[in-house]
Amino acid sequence: MDNFSPGLAGVPATRSKVSWIDGKKGILEYRGVPINMLAEKSHFIEVAYLLLFGSFPTDSQLTRFDLDLRIHRRIKYKIVDLIKCLPENGHPMDALQAAVAALGMFYPDKNVQDKETQYLSAVRLIAKLPTIIAACARLRHGDDIVLPRDDLNHADNFLYMLTEKIPDTVCAAILDVCLILHAEHTMNASTFSGLVTASTLADPYTVVSSAVGTLKGPLHGGANEKVLSMLHEIGSIQNVRPYIEAKISAGEKIMGLGHREYKVKDPRAIILQRLSKRLFDHVGKSSLNETLPLYEIALEVEQMSEMFLAPKGVYTNIDFYSGILYQRMGIEPDFFTPLFAMARVVGWLAHWIEQMQDNHIFRPTEIYDGEHDKVYIPISQR
Ligand code: COA
């Protein structure tokens, strides 16, 4: 009873070698390698290999992994038909969850503890998620899907499938870093949910569809969409101070700020801020669809919030800059969380593979707070 921790806060759910956070110093490491080093020197596919299999790939391992990912990008026409049957105005995370669960019917990988099965399932899921997401984005506007091109790398191909145009190289390179930053983050809610499903020896498609469902919630993957709405609501740099003061005096949370683990600025937000500046310098501050100086408003919100919230250890988190960045790349706001899933699928799978090495089914207990020995009352007497 004394050990009860609501939300299991601070309770270790497993032992893991996948990633590590020092929230006081603002450090995030994947397999022991600091995130800023990976963001600067590596690329998403190499980072995916590192997270899944525990060490950097050799040249030949990376070549094979990359090739396998490219050849598994296509999805069955029945998956496309399934997406077509879903309501166009539904949330794309629901479509993604349904499509990922359906993948499992085409690839019944039953032997989940076998290494080759794990490799192939991981490849299929990482390769096919972008295709599913791009298909959802196009079909809801009545456009045909764009087939993947195996001569393009992961991020370039995704942007190509969205727009049917070869993407700008700076945008694609920035998206690749965003995927690295979102790929893994220790025992968060979606990873935990995937792990619980994995512990029953369910197939990896079911594991990932559980995790997608959990990521959808606004307390987890949905915050960057809300940051964008907040910046629109603020509307100008002059409005920032009154907006922040009003929020703080009303005791309301400012979106994109604060983190359960980090009590300094989230190391991923530092990188995303730099990337946002690079993107806005490259493509210009406004577009036809967006005339507000969102990056400048965001900078002002960050500075103003720090004045009030830094003493509480509340700083910008990963969601603060990712929304404005994705929006400037032309991605629709309700696709921000699917993009998160497209990266985080790697972390979910890395934890799945780790769990399969020493599996124990999750079966926590509960503290019963109900009544005992009640009698059955016939319906006529209730
Ligand atoms: N805006 C304003 N104040 C905030 C804040 C925010 N975003 N986040 C935390 N605080 C304040 C709290 O009001 C609280 O103040 P108090 O001690 O005077 O009551 C203090 O900081 C501690 O907050 P708490 O809610 O206990 O922190 P937490 O670690 O439990 O919560 C979050 C972490 C992420 C849930 C929380 O910061 C939040 O809701 N942020 C906004 C949503 C968001 O960006 N989510 C994405 C996370 S990656």
Side-chain angles (χ1 to χ4, degrees), residues 223 253-260 263 309 312 314 317 319:
K253 295 268 167 73
I254 299 156
M255 284 298 127
L257 269 84
H259 199 281
R260 185 56 63 75
K263 298 306 160 202
L309 297 171
K312 293 184 184 180
V314 174
N317 60 46
D319 293 312

Side-chain angles (χ1 to χ4, degrees), residues 185 218-224 226-227 247-248 251-263 266 268 305 309 312-315 317-320 340:
H185 209 230
L219 293 185
H220 191 2
N224 52 10
K226 293 207 172 127
V227 172
K247 282 272 174 195
I248 288 176
E252 286 173 25
K253 295 268 167 73
I254 299 156
M255 284 298 127
L257 269 84
H259 199 281
R260 185 56 63 75
E261 297 289 328
Y262 298 112
K263 298 306 160 202
D266 182 334
R268 301 164 302 170
S305 311
L309 297 171
K312 293 184 184 180
V314 174
Y315 293 86
N317 60 46
I318 189 167
D319 293 312
F320 192 74
F340 191 157

